[in-house]
Amino acid sequence: MPQTIIAGIGHYVPDHVVTNNDLVKYMDTSDEWIQERTGIKERRYAGRTTETTSTMGVQAATIALENAGITKDDVDFIIFATLSPDYYFPGCGVLLQRAMKMNEIGALDIRNQCSGFVYALSVADQFIKTGMYKNILLVCSEKHSFGLDFSTRGRNISVIFGDGAAAVVLQPTTENNRGILSTHLHSDGSSAELLAMFNPGTHANHWLNEPLADFDEAPMGQMFMSHQMIDKAQNFPNMDGPAVFKKAIVKFPEVIEEALQKNNLTTADLQLLIPHQANLRIAQYVQQKLKLRDDQVFNNIEKYGNTTAASIPIALSEAWQLGKIKKGDLICMAAFGSGFTWGSALMRW
Ligand code: UT7
């Protein structure tokens, strides 16, 4: 059976740099608070009308294809992961297919938030291993800046997120001991509401202890999204940060260990861990817990914030560009986020 390799990689971040001090204009926060709690110094915001999640994805995909030495016509399947799509539906996969004038190939959208890249990689791996596809274009992109609460009410969330995109081209190889060794996916929906955006949606308070809006009295046609919901900020993400943090620092080490054990390897074998860039303090905790050296972990959250599905591939692409990844290196990628969903992928570059 072939193994799946990353044959090409690329990332794109918008030019517009937004510092922590820039955010002070909108909300009661400070550079000191943000750096101390998250490690973030700045993030990028997409052009308000000039860039979308899909167009940033196209930029990253174009670089990844060039890096792989193939053209858009060689691609036989598209996977697009995001939580901030251009439209509620259809997904960004088809918008990318259209924008890049690609063949009428399949386009799958993945919505696993922070775990989007790891989930998508796992799906792609199965298609490659079975021989179904030979050139999968996997794109992750987020335009968070369009959907955050920039008032003080939303400051625990809005300061951590940033915009950006990354893409990889996945191909089969028969070279021994190369490519994806294993992927490990998990979920626990019991805490789904701890990090969620409730509307637009069809929930009608069904899962919630406290009603969010009055669905009984709402006129037909105003239940998916109404003025009341907007007034109550339910069109923005909602997060119990400390609860997410506590779960993340347990699940990250667990799922990394799971991948290593599955392959009879240990942390000493690992050249690079690329954790989802949720919060530098989480990554530091995981590093400490697994007793990894500084050179075994790559973080770039200080420059880009948390770019959700795009964070691992942006970091992977940047680490590769910086020469921190060589052929044969053992790389672990791990994510945890909304759902909760979490997962890891172990690969030999
Ligand atoms: O990638 C998706 C997965 N998400 C995560 O992994 C996020 C995990 N959680 C976190 O990273 C952290 O919980 C946060 C960075 C979101 C928040 O940090 P925290 O240390 O957990 O702060 P907190 O929410 O417990 O809030 C502490 C205080 C509160 O004030 P009081 O009640 O103590 O007076 C907040 O209102 O900090 C306040 N606060 C802020 N102050 C200044 C919350 N956000 C801000 C802010 N600026 N941006």
Side-chain angles (χ1 to χ4, degrees):
M1 198 186 283
Q3 297 264 99
T4 308
I5 54 162
I6 292 182
I9 186 162
H11 71 277
Y12 169 81
V13 288
D15 293 335
H16 181 41
V17 175
V18 176
T19 65
N20 294 339
N21 279 326
D22 290 332
L23 295 178
V24 174
K25 289 179 220 147
Y26 308 106
M27 64 192 83
D28 181 10
T29 189
S30 66
D31 178 47
E32 193 189 3
W33 190 97
I34 301 170
Q35 285 210 45
E36 189 189 314
R37 307 279 177 135
T38 70
I40 298 167
K41 293 182 179 157
E42 58 190 41
R43 73 286 293 139
R44 304 293 178 99
Y45 283 175
R48 190 182 283 219
T49 56
T50 51
E51 291 180 304
T52 75
T53 295
S54 298
T55 68
M56 289 190 289
V58 169
Q59 299 273 3
T62 305
I63 301 167
L65 290 178
E66 201 179 304
N67 182 234
I70 63 168
T71 74
K72 48 129 182 130
D73 294 327
D74 298 315
V75 175
D76 45 16
F77 195 60
I78 299 162
I79 306 182
F80 202 119
T82 186
L83 70 61
S84 49
D86 292 25
Y87 300 135
Y88 189 84
F89 72 84
C92 290
V94 296
L95 303 184
L96 181 109
Q97 184 272 345
R98 175 175 69 185
M100 295 185 76
K101 299 185 173 55
M102 296 172 92
N103 296 325
E104 292 178 355
I105 52 175
L108 172 71
D109 290 281
I110 299 266
R111 38 172 313 172
N112 283 83
Q113 297 70 248
C114 308
S115 311
F117 179 70
V118 173
Y119 266 71
L121 199 63
S122 182
V123 170
D125 187 34
Q126 313 315 313
F127 280 134
I128 296 276
K129 279 193 176 124
T130 57
M132 176 115 174
Y133 297 121
K134 300 268 180 286
N135 282 300
I136 298 182
L137 176 62
L138 162 50
V139 182
C140 299
S141 180
E142 302 287 1
K143 186 180 175 182
H144 284 305
S145 56
F146 238 49
L148 298 171
D149 182 354
F150 281 94
S151 73
T152 296
R153 179 181 56 191
R155 64 183 176 173
N156 68 322
I157 298 187
S158 45
V159 300
I160 69 179
F161 289 111
D163 300 344
V168 292
V169 173
L170 300 155
Q171 290 178 350
T173 183
T174 46
E175 256 184 88
N176 262 345
N177 203 20
R178 262 200 91 196
I180 296 175
L181 304 180
S182 61
T183 55
H184 306 268
L185 307 180
H186 296 279
S187 73
D188 172 7
S190 62
S191 303
E193 285 74 23
L194 291 185
L195 176 45
M197 190 173 121
F198 299 113
N199 293 306
T202 61
H203 61 84
N205 300 326
H206 183 79
W207 306 104
L208 308 167
N209 296 330
E210 282 185 37
L212 282 180
D214 185 356
F215 290 96
D216 293 324
E217 298 300 323
M220 288 301 280
Q222 288 190 26
M223 286 178 281
F224 198 53
M225 175 54 83
S226 66
H227 293 293
Q228 189 193 19
M229 292 169 193
I230 292 174
D231 291 343
K232 291 183 168 183
Q234 288 156 17
N235 55 322
F236 295 121
N238 189 62
M239 175 169 76
D240 180 341
V244 178
F245 194 106
K246 274 186 209 140
K247 191 86 172 178
I249 59 172
V250 174
K251 292 300 173 188
F252 265 110
E254 214 175 88
V255 81
I256 295 164
E257 294 277 19
E258 182 185 351
L260 290 168
Q261 277 165 21
K262 165 86 183 166
N263 294 282
N264 297 317
L265 295 162
T266 70
T267 48
D269 298 306
L270 207 55
Q271 266 74 45
L272 206 58
L273 168 68
I274 303 200
H276 162 51
Q277 301 291 290
N279 179 331
L280 187 63
R281 306 297 161 233
I282 295 178
Q284 287 168 335
Y285 183 94
V286 173
Q287 176 178 346
Q288 209 178 18
K289 174 100 183 151
L290 296 176
K291 300 189 173 55
L292 293 168
R293 301 183 307 273
D294 285 351
D295 65 286
Q296 286 180 293
V297 185
F298 187 79
N299 292 303
N300 60 5
I301 191 171
E302 68 276 11
K303 290 192 293 183
Y304 305 128
N306 178 342
T307 55
T308 314
S311 92
I312 293 179
I314 289 177
L316 187 68
S317 175
E318 200 168 271
W320 178 78
Q321 273 185 350
L322 291 169
K324 291 182 185 288
I325 302 177
K326 323 177 286 301
K327 193 173 171 186
D329 280 357
L330 186 69
I331 315 288
C332 186
M333 294 161 277
F336 176 89
S338 162
F340 295 129
T341 63
W342 63 100
S344 61
L346 194 63
M347 74 179 303
R348 191 69 73 186
W349 193 262

